[in-house]
């Protein structure tokens, strides 16, 4: 094998691919742009069905940031159930509105929650921690 | 790509995630700043936020009430400094799009490379017309 190619591969940083699931345009843009600037590879989904399509299309996703409502809105809870079924080892950071339901959902292995409104740097650090734990 | 082109900001409005994620990523790798949306309202939200925008790449079929045609007409009237490129998977749309941009639509399926060349031509044309005004 070409030693240069081998070297390049071995020093290549981890892709740190995050799937951001957020239905609000401004919020999705803000967090996605921040994460790209800090070195993440970001895939943006506006709802659960888009997120599932992205997971099927790109199996190399390292972590999910799920900011769609788990108690209200566009089926965040169903989405988390499907992710747990299809990719049980895929870590998920849930942006929580502080409800009891969110605490229960986050209280499983490979999951964590972050309270809304979240601070970007906290999201970044929590995502890195979830990836590193994997 | 020259330095002045690196800061060009493109809004990609495409309701189909598998198309949007591939195209957006390709354009980012070309050096553009890419913001992803799915509906005409996302354009207005972005403009209201004060973000400088250079090109809107919109499918003729968008989520929400407004079509890509309507959005394109609106942008030409209210933001003549922003270039619009329409894409279409609908055969009958070609004639109508011709009416909106004399280069015609980009027909799906397209290669992201073709979209990038169209963007580059438009930006170049705009730069030339600005130079001639100066």
């Amino acid at each position: 094998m070409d030693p240069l190619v081998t070297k390049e591969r071995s020093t290549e940083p981890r892709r740190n691919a995050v799937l951001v699931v957020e239905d609000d345009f401004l919020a999705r843009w803000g967090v996605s742009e921040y994460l790209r600037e800090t070195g993440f590879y970001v895939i943006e989904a506006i709802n659960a069905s888009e997120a599932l399509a992205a997971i099927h299309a790109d199996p190399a996703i390292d972590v999910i940031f799920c900011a769609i409502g788990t108690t209200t809105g566009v089926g965040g809870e169903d989405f988390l159930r499907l992710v747990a079924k299809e990719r049980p080892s895929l870590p998920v950071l849930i942006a929580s509105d502080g409800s009891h339901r969110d605490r229960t959902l986050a209280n499983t292995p490979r999951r964590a929650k972050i309270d809304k409104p979240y601070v970007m740097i906290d999201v970044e650090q929590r995502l890195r921690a979830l990836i590193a734990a994997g | 790509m020259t330095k002045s082109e690196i800061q060009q900001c493109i809004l990609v409005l495409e309701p189909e995630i598998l198309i949007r994620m591939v195209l957006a990523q390709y354009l980012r790798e070309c050096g553009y700043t890419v913001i992803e949306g799915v509906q005409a309202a996302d354009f207005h939200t972005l403009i209201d936020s004060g973000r400088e925008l250079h090109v809107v790449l919109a499918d003729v079929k968008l989520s929400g009430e407004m079509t890509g045609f309507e959005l394109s007409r609106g942008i030409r009237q209210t933001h003549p400094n922003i270039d619009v490129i329409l894409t279409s998977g609908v055969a009958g749309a070609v004639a109508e799009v011709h009416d909106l941009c004399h280069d015609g639509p980009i027909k799906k399926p397209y290669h992201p490379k073709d979209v990038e060349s169209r963007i580059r031509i438009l930006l170049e044309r705009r730069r030339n017309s600005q130079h001639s005004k100066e």
Side-chain angles (χ1 to χ4, degrees):
Chain A
M1 191 181 280
D2 183 343
L4 287 172
V5 173
T6 316
K7 187 167 182 281
E8 193 178 323
R9 279 190 189 153
S10 63
T11 55
E12 194 174 295
R14 196 172 172 146
R15 190 164 166 245
N16 282 349
V18 55
L19 172 62
V20 171
V21 195
E22 164 67 81
D23 53 351
D24 180 80
F25 170 73
L26 278 180
R28 189 177 62 249
W29 165 36
V31 73
S32 299
E33 192 157 89
Y34 177 86
L35 292 172
R36 282 191 190 101
E37 283 167 4
T38 52
F40 283 86
Y41 175 89
V42 182
I43 296 171
E44 299 182 35
I46 63 159
N47 56 33
S49 61
E50 276 207 355
L52 289 169
I55 291 169
H56 291 147
D58 192 340
I61 291 168
D62 296 304
V63 65
I64 295 174
F65 178 50
C66 179
I68 53 176
T70 51
T71 49
T72 55
V74 276
E77 196 173 334
D78 291 337
F79 169 64
L80 291 174
R81 198 175 303 124
L82 282 164
V83 170
K85 194 176 153 198
E86 293 191 21
R87 296 277 306 277
S89 63
L90 187 57
V92 185
L93 180 62
I94 300 165
S96 166
D97 58 9
S99 69
H100 174 71
R101 186 81 202 117
D102 284 345
R103 279 199 296 279
T104 314
L105 285 167
N107 193 22
T108 53
R110 319 286 301 132
R111 283 193 192 165
K113 75 171 178 71
I114 186 165
D115 289 329
K116 288 181 184 173
Y118 47 77
V119 179
M120 297 294 186
I121 192 167
D122 293 340
V123 174
E124 179 203 344
Q125 288 172 352
R126 298 294 294 280
L127 290 173
R128 287 193 198 285
L130 279 167
I131 293 174
Chain B
M1 180 167 281
T2 64
K3 202 178 174 188
S4 66
E5 282 170 307
I6 288 171
Q7 288 131 7
Q8 300 294 324
C9 182
I10 298 164
L11 174 65
V12 172
L13 294 178
E14 168 57 65
E16 173 53 60
I17 184 175
L18 298 183
I19 297 172
R20 191 178 69 238
M21 62 189 254
V22 170
L23 178 63
Q25 187 52 31
Y26 181 88
L27 295 176
R28 285 187 190 106
E29 284 166 11
C30 290
Y32 298 99
T33 298
V34 180
I35 298 171
E36 299 179 39
V38 295
Q39 55 188 343
D42 296 338
F43 166 80
H44 298 292
T45 307
L46 188 62
I47 292 296
D48 290 346
S49 79
R51 182 69 153 90
E52 195 186 4
L53 185 61
H54 302 92
V55 177
V56 174
L57 185 73
D59 194 73
V60 296
K61 283 176 78 177
L62 296 172
S63 302
E65 288 176 7
M66 199 185 276
T67 66
F69 295 128
E70 291 162 337
L71 176 68
S72 176
R73 284 194 194 96
I75 293 175
R76 279 179 63 174
Q77 286 171 2
T78 58
H79 298 84
N81 55 326
I82 297 175
D83 285 305
V84 182
I85 299 170
L86 289 172
T87 61
S88 173
V90 186
V94 175
E96 196 171 347
V97 178
H98 257 299
D99 189 40
L100 289 166
C101 50
H102 42 244
D103 293 323
I106 298 176
K107 276 184 276 183
K108 288 179 177 173
Y110 53 70
H111 190 284
K113 188 172 68 193
D114 301 331
V115 178
E116 202 275 326
S117 0
R118 182 73 70 89
I119 291 169
R120 211 155 7 94
I121 290 166
L122 283 175
L123 291 174
E124 184 72 22
R125 193 180 291 167
R126 191 165 286 275
R127 259 194 304 275
N128 290 341
S129 74
Q130 277 164 354
H131 281 308
S132 63
K133 279 178 198 161
E134 282 166 9

